[in-house]
Amino acid sequence: NADPIGQHFGKGTEKHAADYEIVGVVQDAKYLGLSQKPRHMFFVPLPQVVSYEHTMDSRVEMASQYMGTIELHVAGNPDNYQSQIRQTLASVDPNLAALSIRSFDEQLAIRTSEDTLISRLSSIFGLIALLLASIGLYGVTAYQVARRTGEIGLRMALGADRLSILKMVLRGALSQVGLGLAIGLPLVFIAGRLLASKLFGVRSFEPVILSSAVIVLAVAALLATIVPARRAATIEPMKALRTE
């Protein structure tokens, strides 16, 4: 809760407590992995070297002075600059070789390849689950309509119209969807908390995505039940009454 600019700090013994002067503060950054929390870090100019008495501190200090990466901000496609970058480095020193030239998008894709794979597999499994649920709901509804053919014929013979039969079948099928949502939604919140700690950018509760999933499931259930429901509504009463 104080202005850090101009303050001093250091590492190791008390002798080095004022080795560094703070000249600026940057935002938190995820340095090694997107799923990790930002680390406490500080950046120093390349020529600034501190001499430590302990061997381990000296090794760490010397290792941190190795400049293995150059960051370039370019206009346009970064791939168009590869040959120019190599030529420029060779003109400075023939021993300087660019081992790897990658754009920021390429580096980000490499860092997030595992998360991308998991998200795509999850999407595929979700679509398969939705397809299986729709097929299962269609099969159960069609089977129930076949079993209740006699009842449907009796209802229609006693004056029930086709619309009421359609509503009856749809109500029975959609009640199963409602029961499934009542059981599944609490499990979604539990699974969301687990995924939030495993995947970058995933929160434990996403109301837009959750609402979209419920709507998609409801539409799929409606499409899966509309065919058996219409079939039930078109049954001839006399034919249905003769059905064993």
Side-chain angles (χ1 to χ4, degrees):
N1 298 322
D3 186 7
I5 306 301
Q7 302 290 334
H8 290 78
F9 73 99
K11 59 181 182 177
T13 61
E14 186 177 351
K15 176 183 176 180
H16 298 281
D19 285 342
Y20 303 110
E21 178 182 346
I22 301 176
V23 297
V25 179
V26 298
Q27 292 181 343
D28 293 342
K30 296 175 183 281
Y31 193 69
L32 295 178
L34 295 176
S35 60
Q36 297 180 355
K37 293 183 179 180
R39 298 169 55 189
H40 298 291
M41 301 182 64
F42 63 92
F43 302 87
V44 297
L46 186 64
Q48 183 174 356
V49 180
V50 178
S51 299
Y52 291 96
E53 296 78 13
H54 300 288
T55 305
M56 183 57 66
D57 290 334
S58 298
R59 289 180 178 176
V60 173
E61 182 70 14
M62 294 306 297
S64 66
Q65 301 304 312
Y66 174 74
M67 185 176 66
T69 303
I70 299 176
E71 179 181 341
L72 298 177
H73 293 248
V74 299
N77 188 357
D79 294 334
N80 297 334
Y81 292 86
Q82 291 205 22
S83 60
Q84 186 177 350
I85 292 172
R86 297 183 188 276
Q87 292 173 5
T88 303
L89 289 176
S91 65
V92 175
D93 188 341
N95 295 320
L96 292 178
L99 301 179
S100 175
I101 301 178
R102 291 175 179 164
S103 66
F104 181 79
D105 291 337
E106 289 177 321
Q107 296 182 61
L108 190 61
I110 293 173
R111 286 288 186 182
T112 59
S113 59
E114 183 177 349
D115 293 333
T116 302
L117 177 62
I118 293 175
S119 64
R120 288 177 179 175
L121 288 175
S122 300
S123 300
I124 293 173
F125 291 148
L127 290 175
I128 294 175
L130 179 62
L131 179 62
L132 291 176
S134 301
I135 294 174
L137 188 61
Y138 171 81
V140 170
T141 305
Y143 177 70
Q144 289 180 346
V145 169
R147 287 189 57 189
R148 300 176 65 181
T149 301
E151 175 193 346
I152 293 173
L154 183 60
R155 287 175 179 269
M156 297 182 69
L158 293 176
D161 57 8
R162 299 184 186 277
L163 182 60
S164 62
I165 297 299
L166 184 65
K167 290 180 179 180
M168 180 189 69
V169 177
L170 288 176
R171 187 165 52 248
L174 294 180
S175 64
Q176 300 179 45
V177 177
L179 178 61
L181 290 175
I183 298 174
L185 286 177
L187 298 178
V188 167
F189 291 110
I190 297 175
R193 295 182 66 88
L194 296 176
L195 287 176
S197 60
K198 299 296 182 181
L199 295 177
F200 171 71
V202 176
R203 296 183 298 176
S204 58
F205 179 67
E206 295 280 358
V208 176
I209 296 178
L210 188 59
S211 301
S212 301
V214 172
I215 293 173
V216 169
L217 182 61
V219 171
L222 182 62
L223 294 176
T225 56
I226 196 70
V227 175
R230 291 187 62 184
R231 186 182 303 160
T234 56
I235 295 177
E236 293 295 332
M238 294 303 299
K239 182 180 178 180
L241 291 173
R242 294 193 186 98
T243 303
E244 293 294 336

